[in-house]
Amino acid sequence: MKTAKKTAVLAMFTGLSLIMFLIESLFPPLVLPGAKMGLANIFSFAALIMYSPLEAFLVVIVRTGLGAIFSGNVSVLLFSFSGGMVSMAVSSLLMYTAYPKISVMAVSITAAVAHNVTQNAVFALMSGSLLMFGYMPYLILLGILAGAIVGGATMLIFKGIPQNVFLKAIDEKKKKFKENG
């Protein structure tokens, strides 16, 4: 039963993440070409907090794959996938090594900045235009804003969970994470 519930929650997170991605793709970019808030990341971050890095990575993988199919944009795989994977790796590392010394908000902001930097680096390398790195300061600022929004929304999701229960769950996950490698 526990596995069925977990699968249902992960499917819900993936579906909500995909919906947010598709809705956000309908709006024009923020300030810079391609810049978005990344609201789809709320649900992969929530999966990381509720379950583990493995489940969070699965949400990212399925969302980016389906996002590319549903949007008809293959470049989504290249940019969203690479940014999402690096972002989730940073989130996982920070949540399992530095939390609660650093806040959920700080994890989210750091991950969003890593996401933007990764996407920009991939674009610069693929296009052969190193001038794209000139966007980096602006993308870092947008990453801070986006990370704060994603972190705030994720914190709202878990607001009803008492802090001691939340910390206990993270501590248990840290132990499993360290035991498994």
Side-chain angles (χ1 to χ4, degrees):
M1 185 67 163
K2 202 173 193 180
T3 304
K5 181 180 177 185
K6 179 177 168 181
T7 302
V9 171
L10 290 172
M12 179 188 67
F13 280 163
T14 303
L16 290 169
S17 183
L18 179 61
I19 289 166
M20 290 302 284
F21 170 81
L22 292 170
I23 289 171
E24 205 170 6
S25 71
L26 298 174
F27 293 98
L30 303 169
V31 186
L32 297 171
K36 304 283 184 184
M37 275 293 112
L39 299 176
N41 297 312
I42 293 167
F43 303 102
S44 51
F45 194 37
L48 174 66
I49 292 169
M50 279 185 70
Y51 298 111
S52 76
L54 175 63
E55 286 86 357
F57 278 110
L58 286 172
V59 171
V60 172
I61 291 166
V62 173
R63 179 197 71 228
T64 56
L66 291 175
I69 292 168
F70 290 165
S71 69
N73 186 350
V74 180
S75 68
V76 165
L77 278 178
L78 185 62
F79 299 113
S80 289
F81 181 77
S82 61
M85 295 304 278
V86 169
S87 173
M88 190 48 59
V90 168
S91 296
S92 298
L93 182 67
L94 291 175
M95 285 301 291
Y96 287 89
T97 61
Y99 182 83
K101 291 176 186 169
I102 64 170
S103 67
V104 168
M105 185 69 74
V107 172
S108 180
I109 290 170
T110 305
V113 169
H115 190 281
N116 286 357
V117 167
T118 300
Q119 283 188 326
N120 191 51
V122 168
F123 185 80
L125 294 172
M126 295 301 294
S127 68
S129 174
L130 297 179
L131 294 174
M132 290 304 300
F133 287 108
Y135 280 124
M136 209 64 84
Y138 306 105
L139 290 171
I140 290 170
L141 289 173
L142 285 173
I144 292 168
L145 175 62
I149 291 169
V150 167
T154 305
M155 288 169 44
L156 283 175
I157 290 171
F158 293 102
K159 189 174 182 174
I161 299 173
Q163 188 69 15
N164 62 338
V165 173
F166 183 72
L167 290 173
K168 183 179 175 187
I170 293 293
D171 287 340
E172 289 174 10
K173 288 180 197 139
K174 282 182 180 181
K175 285 178 189 173
K176 281 185 184 179
F177 187 71
K178 288 178 182 176
E179 289 171 5
N180 295 333

